[in-house]
Amino acid sequence: MLESVRNNKRVAQIILALLIVPFAFFGLDSYFQDGPGGTDVATVGKSKISTAEFDQALREQQDRLRESMGGEVDRALLDSEPIRRSVVENLVNQRLLALHAADSRLIVTPQQLQQVIAGVDAFQQDGRFSIERYEAAVRAQGMTPAMFESRLAQDLRMQQVAQAVGDSAFASRESIRRFLTAQLEERKVSELQFPANRFVGEVKLADDAAKQYYDANGERFERPARLRAEYVVFNQDAVLGQVSVSDEAARKFYDANAERFSQPEERSARHILISAAADASADAVAKANEKAAGILKQLRADPKRFAELAKAESQDPGSASRGGDLGFFGRGAMVKPFEDAVFGLGKGQISEVVRSDFGFHIIEVTDIKPAHARPFDEVKGEIVEELKRQEASKKFAEQAEVFSNTVYEQSDSLKPVAEALKLQIRTTDWIERVGGAVGDYTNEKLLNALFSDEAMTKQRNVEAVEVSRGTLVSARVVEHQAAQRTPFEQVKGAIEQQLKTEQAAKLATERGEAALASLQKGESVSGEWSVARSVQRAKPELPQAAISAVFGASSTKLPAYVGAPMQGGGYSVFRIESVNRIDIAKDDPRLKALEGQYQRLVAERDFNAFLTSLRGRYAVNINTAVVRPPQQ
Amino acid sequence: MAVYDLEEQEQISELKAWWVRYGNFVTAIAVAAALASVGWQGFQYYKNRQAGEAGALYFALEQAMMKGDAQRTREAAGQLIEKFPSTAYAELAALASAGVQIEKGDAKNARAQLEWLLAKGSDPALKDIARLRLAAVLLDEGAFDQALAQLANAPAPALKARFEDLRGDVLAASGKPAEARSAYQAALDALAVEGADGSDTLREVIRVKQQALEG
């Protein structure tokens, strides 16, 4: 390299000159914008959605689903294509909005961020924002406050668009009124019924009709294969009884993790803020400083007026109304100059004017909780519990292998594994492939394994299956019965009954339709019409097909006749006698009630249309291989 | 400094000759490039600063919106439109504020803001939505022909069903059931083409309105 530079000086100089230009004007960033490659789940415009991002989003979605369904959910279901697809679509939509927000230069101001965080219920204690709770809650999610804040800022930027496009959507009142008028329209109808059972007597079945049906629909008379199995369950609970923790071990843990059991120093303070942003003009800064100095002078004269002055003068919206009180906080919670001032003062002392990025503060320390350690006896129980669980989890990991190996190596019985690990062998009742359960477990993989030819005929142990996190199950077929067809004689009666009902329904429809045709030609039809009653679209007292027929009929010429199939295989003809369209006043309360729903409907449509339009601006490519669930 | 050998001396004089010949040209290009870069960055700075100020105003608008304060929402939107008309915030503000004004029964101001967005906005997707909402306002004011005029040009395909649905409402309100029926049908057809999930409710609403047309 150096050799060639020497030999080709001019070329090298030109190259160097070219390199300097971007460094000088654009910094190093322009060289590193494209990260390392790898398989991506999708590309949106020029940005990529990585597999790691997808995996995390998928995991979060699965956790949510598991929580909402309660307890054990089949993994195959949680990993199914529709769920994977919805997670990808969601990520793509988020990315589209983020790109759009960036290109449109949408921003979130620090004040906005601060106000939003202060307003979250989960971060509040006794009705006010608590910095400790905030940090604890954020860390519980596996994030630092900085990470959380940047995520939140991203969300808020997207929300700006969602609010303008979605939340502010409105529907025409006339549109809503039109829909409501239709829903409340009343039609008075009387009904002429043709119930199926009236025609059962007329049905003549051919002698071999049942047999033919049986032969043609053989699979309907089959009882699927079924089996009884015995099984063993191995989980952490199974080993928890085998571990114990000594007092010395607990003591050692306590000593080694002293900082976990100690509470660092905390102070409570109140402050008065005169805002002056970091980039404010010199003039504004001087003015703010002067004002702060004035307030400080008043306080020096009469320190008791702190709360009153904070209420009147402080420009920190979060604390002003509480007399400037910020509650207790530890180190690292506040901006540096503020923290230095607070931790440099004694209790009851008032600081000089302190400058931070927010402006000028006057601070009083109201209380100090010194650092202290929790005594060993108080935390011993906690420690023993934790160590026990750690030990059990270690033991479980070791023995899980023993479990898997034993059921595999001594595959003609579950006894060896049960004895080795002190497990109980349980048996199932008869179970079928579809809808079957091994004890509490409905795991697909386990059932598939049991119903394999190998497991059924050779009665071998099936391989250990992890039915849920930390729970292994192995099972073995005790006896099985192959799929069987029920003999014709046993089902003949039922088939005949069914065929008769079907034919009767057909007859009912034929007669009903014939009657309807005559009525529509103006001829009269014999039969017993019901007493006329009022029906509404919104109150479906009739089956959907009938409602649709009655309200779909033109009302220009009354009476009008329509027909519809009814439940139970019958048919009904309806005579529409009168139509009553209610005139809805502009201030009808029912309009107001419907408005919210109608608005949500159009809001969703509009927002989705906007997202679709973004897909036109940023090319979206989804890696379909990722959407398909992985093969097990 | 070490004595140059012959070859190097030759190279140096060559380089000098080259510089005499092209020096001004190279300097001019470097200066032009530097100026362009500084100009571009300055422009970016200016844009970002504008966006920052507009963002703070938009935050005020969001807060007023959340409190349902129509007047302050309108004022914030007005300021954004006046001071930062070329930012995305101005367009969003017009759309957001129009929604709040309608909620408080102030159709006049809602119209003005939507009309501004249609005249001066640059985002075609937002403009389609604004047209749709303006048509809804016009329908409620009884200005059927103007409403139809707003709906006359085809929007992006994703909004087709909404446009045709509203066209059906306008036509039905102006006593043209036959045309309304075919507009509703066009809306239903658009939904069928789209085949998107979650369009069931809208389909049902349109179907009911279509069925209920008189004549």
Side-chain angles (χ1 to χ4, degrees):
Chain A
M1 170 81 193
L2 289 176
E3 189 67 17
S4 64
V5 171
R6 261 188 75 81
N7 293 339
N8 299 290
K9 272 194 191 139
R10 185 170 310 150
V11 177
Q13 276 162 347
I14 291 172
I15 289 175
L16 275 177
L18 283 177
L19 281 174
I20 284 167
V21 174
F23 276 124
F25 297 117
F26 304 103
L28 276 168
D29 286 354
S30 46
Y31 285 91
F32 300 110
Q33 259 163 13
D34 293 321
T39 46
D40 295 309
V41 174
T43 56
V44 181
K46 282 180 192 153
S47 83
K48 291 166 178 168
I49 295 173
S50 70
T51 313
E53 255 172 290
F54 170 75
D55 286 343
Q56 190 187 347
L58 180 65
R59 226 168 16 244
E60 283 169 9
Q61 175 68 4
Q62 288 170 337
D63 288 346
R64 268 193 295 276
L65 284 172
R66 210 174 280 135
E67 216 164 279
S68 70
M69 288 163 151
E72 272 177 33
V73 188
D74 196 341
R75 269 200 195 176
L77 180 74
L78 286 179
D79 220 11
S80 64
E81 183 165 341
I83 286 181
R84 295 174 75 90
R85 179 173 297 282
S86 77
V87 168
V88 175
E89 289 291 328
N90 225 340
L91 283 172
V92 167
N93 284 343
Q94 282 177 15
R95 185 59 59 84
L96 282 168
L97 283 170
L99 286 174
H100 170 259
D103 286 350
S104 310
R105 296 174 197 273
L106 301 186
I107 58 139
V108 172
T109 62
Q111 288 90 330
Q112 182 174 6
L113 205 55
Q114 194 187 6
Q115 211 155 324
V116 170
I117 291 175
V120 176
D121 279 346
F123 302 154
Q124 292 187 340
Q125 194 160 27
D126 308 329
R128 65 166 100 145
F129 178 71
S130 149
I131 191 88
E132 294 154 50
R133 274 194 95 127
Y134 166 58
E135 294 200 334
V138 167
R139 290 198 200 282
Q141 298 288 313
M143 284 187 271
T144 65
M147 271 160 78
F148 174 76
E149 280 155 28
S150 89
R151 245 192 178 191
L152 182 65
Q154 183 75 281
D155 284 355
L156 288 173
R157 294 209 299 182
M158 294 184 209
Q159 217 174 299
Q160 293 177 340
V161 179
Q163 206 159 21
V165 178
D167 298 358
S168 71
F170 57 87
S172 151
R173 297 219 135 197
E174 174 58 26
S175 303
I176 302 169
R177 203 180 63 85
R178 183 155 296 279
F179 178 62
L180 186 61
T181 310
Q183 286 289 69
L184 296 180
E185 180 182 317
E186 283 177 0
R187 294 194 167 194
K188 209 167 209 184
V189 295
S190 72
E191 183 179 0
L192 182 58
Q193 292 185 332
F194 295 85
N197 57 18
R198 188 186 296 167
F199 304 97
V200 174
E202 293 181 34
V203 174
K204 287 269 177 307
L205 280 185
D207 287 343
D208 61 346
K211 179 76 179 138
Q212 267 180 13
Y213 184 86
Y214 178 82
D215 290 341
N217 298 281
E219 76 284 359
R220 287 191 47 190
F221 303 101
E222 254 173 28
R223 198 208 57 219
R226 57 181 195 168
L227 56 80
R228 288 191 328 115
E230 55 182 23
Y231 65 101
V232 284
V233 179
F234 181 60
N235 53 23
Q236 262 195 47
D237 294 344
V239 290
L240 202 57
Q242 300 172 31
V243 296
S244 61
V245 173
S246 69
D247 278 8
E248 289 113 276
R251 180 90 223 180
K252 228 170 157 183
F253 184 83
Y254 177 79
D255 292 339
N257 295 279
E259 82 286 357
R260 246 185 68 180
F261 303 106
S262 70
Q263 188 74 40
E265 177 178 346
E266 286 188 345
R267 294 180 168 214
S268 78
R270 51 187 178 183
H271 81 146
I272 296 171
L273 171 70
I274 305 301
S275 12
D279 57 353
S281 68
D283 198 26
V285 171
K287 230 183 215 166
N289 192 2
E290 203 176 300
K291 184 165 181 201
I295 295 170
L296 180 61
K297 209 162 157 198
Q298 292 180 50
L299 281 175
R300 293 276 187 244
D302 185 4
K304 287 203 196 78
R305 292 183 59 207
F306 199 106
E308 174 200 329
L309 281 170
K311 248 181 217 157
E313 303 288 352
S314 178
Q315 289 162 3
D316 173 11
S319 72
S321 60
R322 296 190 302 266
D325 192 4
L326 295 167
F328 276 99
F329 52 89
R331 282 183 191 273
M334 300 293 182
V335 287
K336 192 78 174 82
F338 192 98
E339 175 181 311
D340 289 346
V342 170
F343 284 88
L345 290 172
K347 182 172 168 180
Q349 284 183 331
I350 295 176
S351 70
E352 295 299 317
V353 173
V354 176
R355 174 82 169 115
S356 81
D357 284 352
F358 293 104
F360 295 95
H361 309 260
I362 300 159
I363 310 163
E364 180 186 343
V365 172
T366 50
D367 205 355
I368 297 176
K369 272 193 214 159
H372 68 279
R374 294 167 69 194
F376 175 66
D377 287 337
E378 188 186 313
V379 292
K380 187 178 147 192
E382 264 171 57
I383 295 176
V384 168
E385 196 51 41
E386 183 175 336
L387 289 178
K388 244 182 161 174
R389 231 173 305 126
Q390 271 179 21
E391 194 56 37
S393 140
K394 225 189 309 171
K395 198 151 194 173
F396 173 76
E398 284 164 22
Q399 297 191 346
E401 206 163 316
V402 177
F403 181 83
S404 303
N405 288 345
T406 316
V407 296
Y408 180 72
E409 281 157 12
Q410 307 188 42
S411 65
D412 48 0
S413 167
L414 288 172
K415 272 204 188 95
V417 75
E419 275 161 18
L421 299 173
K422 301 194 184 66
L423 304 175
Q424 201 188 339
I425 299 179
R426 301 192 191 111
T427 34
T428 69
D429 208 345
W430 286 105
I431 55 174
E432 290 177 4
R433 169 70 195 79
V434 177
V438 178
D440 297 333
Y441 311 106
T442 53
N443 186 285
E444 287 283 304
K445 201 174 161 195
L446 182 64
L447 285 168
N448 280 341
L450 272 174
F451 280 89
S452 69
D453 283 345
E454 167 99 7
M456 284 202 288
T457 53
K458 295 191 180 151
Q459 307 198 332
R460 291 266 165 81
N461 297 343
V462 302
E463 207 178 311
V465 174
E466 189 171 16
V467 292
S468 65
R469 211 192 170 94
T471 303
L472 292 172
V473 174
S474 176
R476 179 178 157 270
V477 176
V478 182
E479 59 178 313
H480 81 277
Q481 291 173 348
Q484 268 174 20
R485 184 173 291 198
T486 317
F488 174 64
E489 293 312 316
Q490 272 179 37
V491 290
K492 186 178 169 204
I495 294 176
E496 280 178 344
Q497 188 60 42
Q498 183 198 337
L499 291 178
K500 268 188 188 158
T501 314
E502 277 173 19
Q503 301 230 357
K506 222 158 135 196
L507 273 176
T509 306
E510 275 166 23
R511 301 287 160 83
E513 279 170 347
L516 177 62
S518 312
L519 286 164
Q520 281 172 338
K521 270 186 269 172
E523 299 162 11
S524 64
V525 164
S526 66
E528 204 174 315
W529 289 92
S530 73
V531 179
R533 58 171 165 161
S534 260
V535 290
Q536 260 184 9
R537 270 198 188 84
K539 273 192 241 143
E541 290 157 359
L542 293 174
Q544 191 53 47
I547 287 281
S548 201
V550 166
F551 284 93
S554 163
S555 60
T556 41
K557 191 172 147 271
L558 295 178
Y561 295 95
V562 293
M566 302 298 275
Q567 273 140 356
Y571 190 87
S572 280
V573 173
F574 295 94
R575 182 171 64 210
I576 303 165
E577 294 174 352
S578 66
V579 171
N580 179 19
R581 289 201 181 87
I582 298 157
D583 205 17
I584 297 168
K586 283 207 153 106
D587 54 356
D588 192 301
R590 286 174 294 189
L591 267 183
K592 198 82 201 149
L594 187 61
E595 195 175 274
Q597 287 176 42
Y598 208 101
Q599 249 168 27
R600 267 196 298 284
L601 174 66
V602 299
E604 202 187 301
R605 298 289 310 179
D606 289 358
F607 191 58
N608 280 335
F610 183 72
L611 283 173
T612 310
S613 81
L614 288 183
R615 281 179 190 235
R617 279 179 227 179
Y618 303 99
V620 173
N621 275 309
I622 292 174
N623 182 354
T624 44
V626 178
V627 176
R628 249 171 275 129
Q631 296 299 316
Q632 300 228 325
Chain B
M1 200 174 265
V3 181
Y4 297 119
D5 66 20
L6 214 63
E7 193 197 351
E8 276 182 348
Q9 282 203 5
E10 203 175 294
Q11 278 186 351
I12 286 167
S13 55
E14 234 176 79
L15 198 63
K16 275 183 181 162
W18 183 86
W19 184 253
V20 168
R21 201 162 159 198
Y22 295 109
N24 285 342
F25 181 61
V26 169
T27 316
I29 285 184
V31 168
L35 280 179
S37 163
V38 166
W40 171 248
Q41 304 224 345
F43 177 67
Q44 293 294 317
Y45 174 78
Y46 166 75
K47 281 283 224 187
N48 283 334
R49 198 175 164 89
Q50 276 224 319
E53 288 171 36
L57 257 176
Y58 192 77
F59 177 44
L61 177 140
E62 283 184 310
Q63 284 187 307
M65 223 177 132
M66 235 178 307
K67 286 188 199 123
D69 187 336
Q71 194 187 336
R72 285 182 57 186
T73 310
R74 194 176 64 233
E75 283 166 8
Q79 280 187 40
L80 275 165
I81 288 172
E82 199 177 309
K83 292 191 193 154
F84 308 104
S86 64
T87 61
Y89 277 123
E91 298 184 33
L92 293 178
L95 212 50
S97 173
V100 179
Q101 306 313 323
I102 283 293
E103 204 174 308
K104 300 290 168 191
D106 183 354
K108 202 170 127 255
N109 271 307
R111 251 181 84 165
Q113 275 157 341
L114 292 170
E115 279 165 354
W116 176 85
L117 176 50
L118 283 174
K120 300 283 158 71
S122 61
D123 188 324
L126 293 183
K127 283 169 86 170
D128 275 347
I129 292 171
R131 264 202 296 149
L132 189 59
R133 292 185 188 170
L134 182 57
V137 176
L138 291 167
L139 165 60
D140 283 355
E141 290 186 337
F144 302 138
D145 290 342
Q146 290 181 53
L148 287 176
Q150 290 299 336
L151 299 171
N153 290 335
L159 279 171
K160 176 117 196 312
R162 284 267 287 130
F163 267 62
E164 292 295 343
D165 171 31
L166 191 59
R167 224 159 62 81
D169 291 342
V170 179
L171 288 166
S174 54
K176 294 175 183 157
E179 290 173 55
R181 180 167 291 121
S182 53
Y184 285 139
Q185 193 54 49
L188 290 170
D189 292 347
L191 283 180
V193 169
E194 202 179 302
D197 314 328
S199 53
D200 293 352
T201 318
L202 186 63
R203 184 175 301 123
E204 184 59 21
V205 166
I206 297 173
R207 211 184 51 76
V208 165
K209 287 192 292 193
Q210 189 190 34
Q211 233 181 32
L213 286 169
E214 284 172 65

